[in-house]
Amino acid sequence: MLPPASSDVIRERLASELAKAERPLLAFDADGTLWTGDVGIELFEALLAVEGVGEEASDALVELADRFGIARVGTPTAQAKKLYEAFEAGRLPYDLAFAMMAWAYAGWGESELSAFIDAELDVLCLENRLQAEVLPILDWARAS
């Protein structure tokens, strides 16, 4: 992990690198950097809340549960909840948990999924959760 740095220091480092770059690009991992919280987890929790995990994900959910000795339960959503609980308890590896959170949407059509995510993003109000100390860096990047 890098040591914390002020917005000024980061902009100075970026400006130095910008002078060397042929095709500059600035990327953030977003969650916890641009805003508070983890959008992927929050969208997955919303999926669970609406019992939205479909049968298309069922076999993979059961296979993952069996692999880690997690109890089999009734519905695909219930199985996804059990896996999520195991992840939170440290019994399901991070990479597999986040992969499961993505493929739990199996069977959703693109427009249906897009509408669900748009509605949930409105609820999450990311614009109100921006990390203020990152804004000067974003402003600098837009101007540069």
Side-chain angles (χ1 to χ4, degrees):
M1 178 187 240
L2 295 173
S6 71
S7 293
D8 291 337
V9 168
I10 292 170
R11 285 186 310 227
E12 288 172 16
R13 288 180 191 162
L14 290 171
S16 172
E17 293 300 317
L18 180 62
K20 303 175 208 172
E22 288 182 37
R23 294 180 60 194
L25 173 70
L26 181 61
F28 290 85
D29 79 341
D31 293 332
T33 304
L34 290 177
W35 50 71
T36 60
D38 187 300
V39 174
I41 289 176
E42 292 173 68
L43 289 172
F44 180 71
E45 289 171 344
L47 178 71
L48 296 178
V50 299
E51 300 283 324
V53 182
E55 286 298 324
E56 295 84 351
S58 186
D59 289 346
L61 292 166
V62 169
E63 182 180 315
L64 186 59
D66 288 350
R67 184 172 161 194
F68 287 91
I70 298 162
R72 289 186 181 196
V73 292
T75 67
T77 297
Q79 190 68 68
K81 285 178 183 177
K82 274 286 187 204
L83 288 163
Y84 184 50
E85 290 167 5
F87 164 67
E88 289 185 311
R91 295 180 302 138
L92 183 64
Y94 183 90
D95 58 339
L96 295 176
F98 279 89
M100 179 269 302
M101 289 179 204
W103 51 254
Y105 294 95
W108 284 62
E110 185 177 340
S111 61
E112 179 186 23
L113 181 56
S114 182
F116 175 75
I117 290 171
D118 286 346
E120 289 304 318
L121 288 176
D122 285 343
V123 170
L124 295 176
C125 298
L126 294 178
E127 65 277 3
N128 295 334
R129 296 166 44 184
L130 286 172
Q131 304 278 17
E133 53 277 354
V134 177
L135 296 178
I137 298 167
L138 293 174
D139 292 341
W140 173 88
R142 286 186 193 104
S144 298

